[in-house]
Amino acid sequence: MTDTSPALPPLTVTTGLPPAPVSPVVEIDVEIGVDPDVAPPALRAGTDPDDAGLARMIAAFRVLQVRHARVLAHESAAQGLGITDTRFLVHLAASEGQATTPKQAGDVLELSTGAMTSLLDRLERHGHLERRPNPGDRRSILVHLTPSGAAVARAVGAAYASAFSEAVPAAERVGVAAALEDIGAALDRRYRAATAR
């Protein structure tokens, strides 16, 4: 079956990783649906259904990543922010009022101390967060979300809540959430094992 939806323009994604010998900008072209003539072998007729299911999940995850990047870029731009700025505000909002230190935030976002300081300066200028003394450690500060920052996080979260509620029936949401949690945990185990070597 051939997909007849309009073609999406290519997406430019920056990885946030140190520059590689080639450009760190990656052009991602997404083909939606599976054309049997170009489908991976596991998706072609006559193959093991379990393998076909795995291949389809991986393909769906790849497309989901691209579409997530597009939505996050669009929502960030609509708020006048960069993607990493938005990711941080969403992270703070998800911590349910728990403040964080710049070092903890830098670890989550995989940013250097200097990059984290620049991010905090930008978001503070926008009025989306504030720095306060850390009562548990006089040498550090805590970063708190302001009402303005919380509103940004809610607006971005609403786009995802709408998509998830449209795509996943209420009766299946707990199962889908559990599957996503399990995939995330498996990827984290793989990452930790690889980086521990």
Side-chain angles (χ1 to χ4, degrees), residues 10-104:
L11 170 69
T12 300
V13 178
T14 55
T15 64
L17 298 173
V22 294
S23 170
V25 175
V26 179
E27 291 291 335
I28 300 177
D29 219 354
V30 183
E31 180 181 321
I32 308 306
V34 177
D35 182 335
D37 297 328
V38 296
L43 289 179
R44 293 187 189 130
T47 60
D48 183 339
D50 290 339
D51 289 345
L54 179 60
R56 183 173 176 182
M57 276 195 309
I58 292 168
F61 181 67
R62 178 183 59 79
V63 171
L64 177 63
Q65 286 178 299
V66 172
R67 290 183 172 169
H68 158 65
R70 285 185 175 158
V71 168
L72 186 58
H74 173 77
E75 294 296 324
S76 297
Q79 299 294 333
L81 298 172
I83 292 171
T84 305
D85 300 358
T86 303
R87 285 180 56 218
F88 182 55
L89 293 177
V90 170
H91 168 73
L92 275 180
S95 65
E96 299 177 356
Q98 296 295 316
T100 186
T101 67
K103 176 165 182 2
Q104 291 167 331

Side-chain angles (χ1 to χ4, degrees), residues 75 79 150-160:
E75 294 296 324
Q79 299 294 333
V152 169
R154 275 194 307 276
V156 173
Y160 288 90

Side-chain angles (χ1 to χ4, degrees), residues 124-145:
E124 196 168 40
R125 277 195 307 274
H126 281 286
H128 296 324
L129 61 78
E130 58 186 28
R131 297 165 163 123
R132 297 181 197 162
N134 184 348
D137 181 356
R138 283 194 236 169
R139 297 166 300 167
S140 74
I141 60 164
L142 291 176
V143 180
H144 292 264
L145 201 59

Side-chain angles (χ1 to χ4, degrees), residues 88 100-113 116-117 120 140-143:
F88 182 55
T100 186
T101 67
K103 176 165 182 2
Q104 291 167 331
D107 290 346
V108 168
L109 297 173
E110 297 183 330
L111 294 178
S112 68
T113 303
M116 194 65 221
T117 299
L120 295 177
S140 74
I141 60 164
L142 291 176
V143 180

